[in-house]
Amino acid sequence: MTPSSSAPNPLQAPLLSGRHILVTGVANRWSIAWAVVQSIARAGGRATMTYQGEAQRSTIQKMLEDLPEHHRAPLLLPLDVRNDAEISAVAETLKSEGLTLDGFVHSIAFAKREELDGAFLDTSRDGFLMAQEISAFSLVALSRAFASCMVPGSSIVAMTYLGSERIVPHYNVMGAAKAALEASVRYLAYDLGVSGIRVNAVSAGPIKTASGRAIKGFGDMQKTVAERAPLKHQELTAEEVADATVALLSPLLRAVTGEVLFVDLGYRQMGMV
Ligand code: NAD
């Protein structure tokens, strides 16, 4: 006998049909998070976005004109993850607007530029803690704040990078932050699994964004992947990372949690490079 379920098969409708996802980390058109917003729209869902500071708000407002109106979520909310009051206010606004979430995307990272150049040995206490707070602890803080807004079947996806588990020269303090982020993904997956909420990460290969370019030697990272990854025929795009994110957000991957999905043209699997 074939096992059956009363839930409709997710392949019968657009992957995110009717789903409302909160997307953090849109700074500009090059941001991976913006590609995620567009992929969510293509998959039939809607994205509420957050912004960090007024300049970002007006940039995003202009970018929103590119999205079909019925895929624009009504809200654009301020969020600096160092500010607990702003984190709570996002959850409160969603509730007061009568909105629930089917998940959220954590696409936030920050380290002082001087920590992404030179030796990890020289990392300052302040720089280490700042990278951890903004790039890793924020996933815990947002998951806790938004848990009560998320319905069963929701999915949280965080953006990470190979520098969490391998030595990538100059990635330094951010490698330590991404290691903490990935461990946080696993522990949150355990805590939130009971509520039917999944937590995963996408480990993206290098993509030219404002954050990427802040890392010394970023061009070499891109060149190495292009030359040595199994899928050599192309440069990795933000759209490819975003589509994989949508797969994790969608019910298609409803039995997957606590994972790191590598979207890097296969580069991580290489031995001798
Ligand atoms: P980006 O600069 O476009 O995005 C980084 C975002 O982090 C910005 O929107 C910024 O406002 C936000 N941010 C920083 N500090 C914040 C704070 N205190 N509060 C709220 N938001 C804050 O760059 P991106 O490359 O799109 O980065 C998005 C994510 O993808 C990051 O986690 C990054 O580490 C990860 N990632 C990027 C690459 C790459 O090659 N670009 C590869 C793997 C992973």
Side-chain angles (χ1 to χ4, degrees):
M1 214 168 78
T2 321
S4 64
S5 153
S6 54
N9 188 289
L11 291 174
Q12 287 165 353
L15 278 180
L16 296 183
S17 186
R19 291 189 174 230
H20 177 221
I21 310 290
L22 185 117
V23 179
T24 65
V26 179
N28 51 48
R29 287 180 192 281
W30 293 273
S31 295
I32 294 173
W34 177 240
V36 171
V37 168
Q38 292 175 300
S39 290
I40 288 171
R42 281 198 301 277
R46 288 186 313 154
T48 280
M49 273 172 268
T50 63
Y51 63 89
Q52 186 198 10
E54 279 307 300
Q56 251 182 36
R57 187 179 65 83
S58 57
T59 304
I60 295 172
Q61 252 166 352
K62 284 191 205 101
M63 288 158 57
L64 276 172
E65 288 160 21
D66 294 352
L67 281 185
E69 203 161 337
H70 59 287
H71 289 305
R72 285 184 217 159
L75 300 174
L76 182 56
L77 303 170
L79 177 65
D80 185 322
V81 293
R82 288 166 300 183
N83 184 331
D84 283 336
E86 281 194 7
I87 295 175
S88 308
V90 171
E92 289 313 314
T93 307
L94 289 168
K95 282 180 196 152
S96 66
E97 296 285 331
L99 293 166
T100 56
L101 289 178
D102 297 285
F104 76 89
V105 176
H106 179 284
S107 192
I108 293 171
F110 184 80
K112 294 180 186 179
R113 193 174 267 264
E114 63 267 26
E115 309 280 7
L116 301 172
D117 189 354
F120 180 64
L121 194 61
D122 294 330
T123 303
S124 67
R125 184 187 299 264
D126 179 46
F128 189 92
L129 294 176
M130 182 185 279
Q132 290 282 337
E133 181 190 7
I134 297 177
S135 316
F137 175 72
S138 58
L139 179 69
V140 184
L142 297 186
S143 298
R144 185 164 56 233
F146 301 158
S148 58
C149 303
M150 284 188 279
V151 299
S154 287
S155 168
I156 300 171
V157 182
M159 294 296 161
T160 188
Y161 178 61
L162 182 65
S164 63
E165 57 174 62
R166 304 278 168 85
I167 302 163
V168 177
H170 307 301
Y171 200 62
N172 293 354
V173 73
M174 194 52 79
K178 291 301 192 192
L181 179 76
E182 290 172 22
S184 302
V185 162
R186 291 184 281 275
Y187 283 98
L188 289 168
Y190 183 70
D191 285 354
L192 293 171
V194 68
S195 307
I197 299 171
R198 299 182 292 113
V199 190
N200 293 285
V202 163
S203 186
I207 292 176
K208 216 173 277 165
T209 62
S211 292
R213 277 191 291 229
I215 303 158
K216 190 176 176 221
F218 179 79
D220 293 338
M221 286 158 73
Q222 272 198 310
K223 199 163 157 264
T224 305
V225 171
E227 285 171 5
R228 298 178 183 172
L231 294 172
K232 299 190 176 46
H233 59 281
Q234 53 181 330
E235 188 176 311
L236 182 68
T237 64
E239 186 180 323
E240 286 165 325
V241 173
D243 285 355
T245 305
V246 161
L248 281 171
L249 289 170
S250 81
L252 205 58
L253 298 191
R254 61 197 174 279
V256 177
T257 195
E259 286 294 335
V260 177
L261 174 65
F262 281 78
V263 184
D264 65 347
L265 307 176
Y267 178 72
R268 181 222 188 198
Q269 299 300 352
M270 296 302 293
M272 291 282 286
V273 288

